[in-house]
Amino acid sequence: MASGRTISDNASAILSSPPADIIFKLPIGIELPQGPPEGSLLSSSFHILMDIRVPVTVATLYATCVHILNRSRGQGAEPARFARTALFRWLVIAHNLFLCVYSAWTCLGMIFSLLRTVTEMSRTHSSGTSSFWRGLCSLDEGIWGHGLNYYGFLFYLSKFYEILDTVIILAKGKRSSLLQTYHHGGAMISMWAGIRFASPPIWIFVVFNSLIHTLMYFYYVSCGLNIKVPRAVKCALTTAQICQFVFGSSLAIAHIFVYYFDPSIGQYTSCLVNAGQTFALWFNVLYLAPLTYLFIGFWIASYVTKPQPPQVRGTSTVSEEGMLARN
C-alpha cells in the first residue's frame, strides 16, 4: 500500500489503490468534526443540525407534501390569489436575488479559502501536487478548518431555504416535477453527509454548485425584471448543470485514489481516512447519478424534441421555470 511508503521528496502526490479497510464500511461511531468558528452564524446549533433526523424528516415531509399537492390540484390549477399580486412578484425577485448573491459569496469565499490554504501549505512545506492535495484532504491543516466547515455548513442549511423554490412554483398553479422534488429532497441529505463526516470531496459540490446557482438565480432575477433572455443562454445553463454533475462526480471519485505526503508522520497518507468520508462520497455520487439522468432527459425534451413555444418578454416556459435553475 502507498500509505506505508516513506520518501524524502514531498513535492508530489501519488495515485494508488483505494484504502480497502474503509472503502465500503458503514460510518458507525464517528465523532462530529470541527464545526464553524465560535460566534459565527448558527455555530452554536451545529451539533443539533447535524443530527441525521433533521434532513431526513424535512426531506420526507417536503416530498410527501409536494406529492399530495400535485395529486390534489391536477393539471392547469389556478394560481393562488396572492401569486397574482405585485407584492408576490417582488418577493420572488428578492428571493432569487438573495440566493444569487449568497451563492456568489459562497463560491468566492470557498475559492479564496482554497487558494489561501494551498499557498500556506506551499510556504511551510515544499510546493507541488502534494501541498495541493494536503490542502484539500487534511482535516487538521487543510481547507476544512480554513473555510469549508463554515461555508459548507451554511450551504447545507441553504438547501432547506431553497424549498421556497417549490413553494413559488406551486403558488403559481404549476406542478413540481419529479426532478424538482428529487433534487431538493436529496440535496439536504447529501450535503448533510458531506459536512457531518467532513468528507474532503464535498468542497467540489460547494464550489461548483454555488457557481451554477449564481448564474441560475441571476437568470431568474432577469426574468422577474422583464429582461429578455435568449434561448441559447437557457440551453447553456442547463448544459452547465449537467456538466457540473458529471465532472464533479468524477473529480470526487478521484479522491479515493489520492495519497499525499504528510511531513508530520514522514510518509504518504490517504486523502480519505475513515468510513464516514467514503460513505459521504458514495452517497453524493449515487444521488447525482439519477439526477444527471433526469436532467439529460429534460435537456432533450426541452431543446431537442420539444417545439419552441412562443416566448413572452421576461418569462420562461413552465418546464424551464420548474427545472432550469432550481438546482
Side-chain angles (χ1 to χ4, degrees):
M1 291 292 294
S3 58
R5 301 176 186 175
T6 59
I7 191 169
S8 58
D9 178 15
N10 59 354
S12 64
I14 60 175
L15 298 178
S16 188
S17 57
D21 56 330
I22 63 171
I23 195 68
F24 295 119
K25 187 178 179 181
L26 291 176
I28 300 175
I30 298 177
E31 295 183 356
L32 276 175
Q34 171 190 348
E38 288 189 19
S40 60
L41 183 63
L42 295 174
S43 59
S44 59
S45 303
F46 180 74
H47 285 70
I48 297 175
L49 295 172
M50 282 293 102
D51 189 322
I52 180 59
R53 290 172 293 185
V54 173
V56 169
T57 300
V58 175
T60 301
L61 290 174
Y62 163 74
T64 302
C65 291
V66 169
H67 176 72
I68 293 174
L69 288 172
N70 276 344
R71 287 182 60 89
S72 63
R73 287 149 51 95
Q75 295 285 356
E78 287 292 323
R81 181 178 302 177
F82 179 61
R84 305 173 188 176
T85 65
L87 177 59
F88 177 82
R89 172 174 174 263
W90 285 107
L91 287 175
V92 171
I93 292 174
H95 163 77
N96 290 324
L97 181 60
F98 167 73
L99 285 176
C100 176
V101 174
Y102 163 74
S103 299
W105 174 77
T106 299
C107 184
L108 292 174
M110 278 297 303
I111 291 175
F112 288 141
S113 296
L114 178 59
L115 292 176
R116 183 171 58 251
T117 301
V118 173
T119 300
E120 291 177 358
M121 289 286 182
S122 300
R123 290 174 179 172
T124 55
H125 306 287
S126 64
S127 60
T129 56
S130 189
S131 294
F132 173 77
W133 283 105
R134 190 180 180 200
L136 293 181
C137 302
S138 174
L139 291 183
D140 297 325
E141 303 174 277
I143 185 64
W144 175 258
H146 292 82
L148 183 55
N149 61 336
Y150 175 62
Y151 292 106
F153 176 60
L154 293 181
F155 199 67
Y156 156 68
L157 297 182
S158 73
K159 299 306 171 187
F160 298 99
Y161 176 77
E162 288 172 12
I163 290 177
L164 285 180
D165 287 347
T166 305
V167 174
I168 292 171
I169 290 174
L170 293 173
K172 291 181 178 180
K174 302 166 186 175
R175 294 167 62 92
S176 176
S177 66
L178 173 62
L179 189 160
Q180 170 94 351
T181 307
Y182 172 78
H183 167 72
H184 283 301
M188 302 175 199
I189 305 175
S190 295
M191 279 304 303
W192 169 87
I195 302 303
R196 165 61 181 85
F197 298 111
S199 187
I202 202 63
W203 74 268
I204 300 170
F205 301 105
V206 176
V207 173
F208 287 9
N209 201 236
S210 61
L211 174 61
I212 295 297
H213 274 198
T214 302
L215 301 175
M216 294 294 175
Y217 285 107
F218 180 76
Y219 158 79
Y220 273 103
V221 172
S222 300
C223 289
L225 295 175
N226 294 325
I227 299 174
K228 185 177 181 180
V229 180
R231 182 176 175 82
V233 172
K234 303 173 188 177
C235 180
L237 292 176
T238 307
T239 303
Q241 288 179 315
I242 297 172
C243 291
Q244 122 178 254
F245 300 146
V246 176
F247 180 74
S249 296
S250 301
L251 183 56
I253 292 174
H255 285 64
I256 300 176
F257 304 94
V258 171
Y259 290 77
Y260 65 93
F261 187 81
D262 188 346
S264 63
I265 60 176
Q267 66 181 31
Y268 281 99
T269 184
S270 172
C271 181
L272 305 182
V273 296
N274 61 53
Q277 293 182 343
T278 55
F279 168 81
L281 168 63
W282 288 124
F283 191 94
N284 274 269
V285 170
L286 292 175
Y287 157 70
L288 288 175
L291 186 62
T292 304
Y293 171 80
L294 291 171
F295 258 96
I296 291 175
F298 166 70
W299 189 93
I300 294 174
S302 298
Y303 306 114
V304 178
T305 62
K306 183 178 179 180
Q308 298 187 17
Q311 293 289 302
V312 179
R313 181 176 177 83
T315 63
S316 58
T317 66
V318 171
S319 60
E320 285 169 340
E321 185 166 344
M323 292 185 285
L324 172 61
R326 306 306 186 186
N327 162 31

